[in-house]
Amino acid sequence: MAELQATTNGVYAARNLVNEPLSYLTAVQLAEEASKLGKEKGFKVEVMNKKKIETLKMGGLLAVNRGSIDPPTFSILEYSPENAKNEKPLVLVGKGVVYDTGGLSLKPTAGSMDSMKSDMGGAAAVIGAMSAIAEAKLPVKVIGLVPATDNRPGEIAYVPGDVVSMYDGSTVEVLNTDAEGRMILADALAYAKKLNPELVIDLATLTGAAAVAIGKFGVVAMGTADQEAMNRLDNSGKEVYERIARFPFWDEYNDLLKSTIADVKNIGGREGGAITAGKFLERFTDYPWIHLDIAGPAFLGADDSYRLQGGTGVGVRLLFDFVKSMA
């Protein structure tokens, strides 16, 4: 019952975050909400401000933020119980785009911006999962990373054709400013290297391609983690009914991201869009890693059984059950 209460509270926290409009939930406020939950549930939260992000040279996060009137944040959430079963931490990374206009590659279709307050669904899932894990006192060391900003077509916004230097020193040719989630996730995934993780899982409302492929009925997954980790996550998905659809992750998809003027392009075209987004992120990892694209189920236009209209909190129960299996 205690675990059920903890996960319910975590899902509620995630849903509330997703449902808040940008007029309240800026990147700074998202970090503040995470800090409040940390104090309440028992995990540490460190929030890096724009000056610190500039010092770290997180070029992807700073590029996306250039068009905004609000500063970005980079939050580090840490739960380290004394009885942790793991020496190396599990690291959870959540995309925190608190609102996405598409930037100068403005979203073109009718209704395409209406629900974009939900583009931080990955960040909400990480924050909600950290809340549930800490409240239930699961004996696993977990670190959450949340890069956050909004994406707007401001006066000095980054533009298609720009070349951005990332946190890890590599360069990205930007061909679509609406492919912004992968830019901020890339910096966070590269930062995760210094944490010496056992496994990294990122969650993001990353691509319309994932939503088109499987709809609201599951979560798209891919990555480099071993079969055991993927199977355990798959089992957790079935247990909590946040089911996993594994996509192929063949090397040939890398060819679609080749750039003539930078190390990589930030988009690979329409074909295999969800996979090329994952392949872009893979370049910034050197550890076992799973990418979860939650674009389909993160935000619903109408009630769907027990999932209500709006933010669903998808990912919280999935991560909680997975962490429980680690214990």
Side-chain angles (χ1 to χ4, degrees):
M1 288 299 293
E3 288 181 359
L4 180 60
Q5 186 65 61
T7 53
T8 300
N9 290 341
V11 170
Y12 279 6
R15 288 180 57 203
N16 284 338
L17 290 172
V18 172
N19 287 333
E20 287 287 2
L22 177 64
S23 57
Y24 175 76
L25 197 75
T26 62
V28 172
Q29 190 60 42
L30 179 64
E32 179 62 28
E33 297 295 330
S35 298
K36 289 178 186 175
L37 271 174
K39 291 175 183 176
E40 181 183 338
K41 304 298 183 182
F43 59 90
K44 298 178 183 176
V45 179
E46 177 189 355
V47 180
M48 297 184 186
N49 60 19
K50 185 176 182 179
K51 186 174 181 180
K52 178 65 174 178
I53 294 168
E54 289 173 339
T55 300
L56 291 174
K57 298 181 179 179
M58 289 188 167
L61 178 54
L62 290 167
V64 177
N65 180 251
R66 280 185 59 180
S68 176
I69 59 173
D70 300 315
T73 57
F74 187 81
S75 300
I76 303 171
L77 293 58
E78 184 173 354
Y79 172 65
S80 299
E82 293 182 0
N83 61 338
K85 304 284 187 181
N86 54 333
E87 292 185 11
K88 295 182 177 181
L90 169 67
V91 176
L92 308 175
V93 181
K95 172 186 169 182
V97 177
V98 291
Y99 194 86
D100 181 23
T101 66
L104 286 176
S105 302
L106 199 67
K107 292 181 182 293
T109 55
S112 59
M113 249 186 265
D114 294 356
S115 62
M116 281 300 101
K117 66 180 183 180
S118 69
D119 210 21
M120 36 61 67
V126 168
I127 294 168
M130 292 292 294
S131 168
I133 291 162
E135 183 176 340
K137 296 181 169 56
L138 296 185
V140 178
K141 182 176 182 180
V142 186
I143 297 175
L145 302 178
V146 178
T149 180
D150 58 314
N151 182 29
R152 299 199 203 197
E155 291 180 356
I156 58 170
Y158 77 135
V159 304
D162 276 354
V163 174
V164 175
S165 295
M166 307 294 283
Y167 171 74
D168 70 347
S170 64
T171 55
V172 174
E173 180 186 5
V174 176
L175 294 180
N176 189 327
T177 63
D178 195 22
E180 85 299 330
R182 66 199 69 183
M183 298 292 288
I184 73 172
L185 284 174
D187 280 346
L189 289 171
Y191 183 88
K193 295 176 185 179
K194 66 192 294 183
L195 303 176
N196 191 27
E198 175 182 331
L199 173 68
V200 175
I201 302 175
D202 80 72
L203 298 92
T205 50
L206 202 62
T207 66
V212 168
I214 66 168
K216 64 185 178 182
F217 304 105
V219 174
V220 166
M222 61 198 82
T224 60
D226 61 26
Q227 198 65 27
E228 180 188 356
M230 292 294 289
N231 286 342
R232 281 198 291 117
L233 189 67
D234 198 39
N235 289 336
S236 289
K238 292 171 183 174
E239 183 69 23
V240 304
Y241 211 64
E242 294 182 354
R243 295 167 296 178
I244 301 297
R246 295 194 212 179
F247 275 22
F249 212 50
W250 303 317
D251 290 340
E252 287 82 354
Y253 287 104
N254 287 318
D255 295 340
L256 301 176
L257 292 168
K258 288 182 178 178
S259 169
T260 58
I261 62 171
D263 292 319
V264 66
K265 297 187 298 186
N266 79 326
I267 56 169
R270 289 181 60 84
E271 295 181 355
I275 301 170
T276 53
K279 277 295 181 182
F280 176 87
L281 296 177
E282 182 189 19
R283 297 180 61 92
F284 300 89
T285 69
D286 65 357
Y287 40 68
W289 161 72
I290 299 172
H291 164 55
L292 300 178
D293 194 328
I294 60 172
F299 192 89
L300 302 180
D303 292 359
D304 177 40
S305 183
Y306 62 89
R307 301 189 302 177
L308 304 183
Q309 180 180 0
T312 63
V314 67
V316 174
R317 293 184 303 126
L318 174 65
L319 292 174
F320 183 90
D321 193 84
F322 181 79
V323 171
K324 188 178 171 183
S325 76
M326 292 179 66

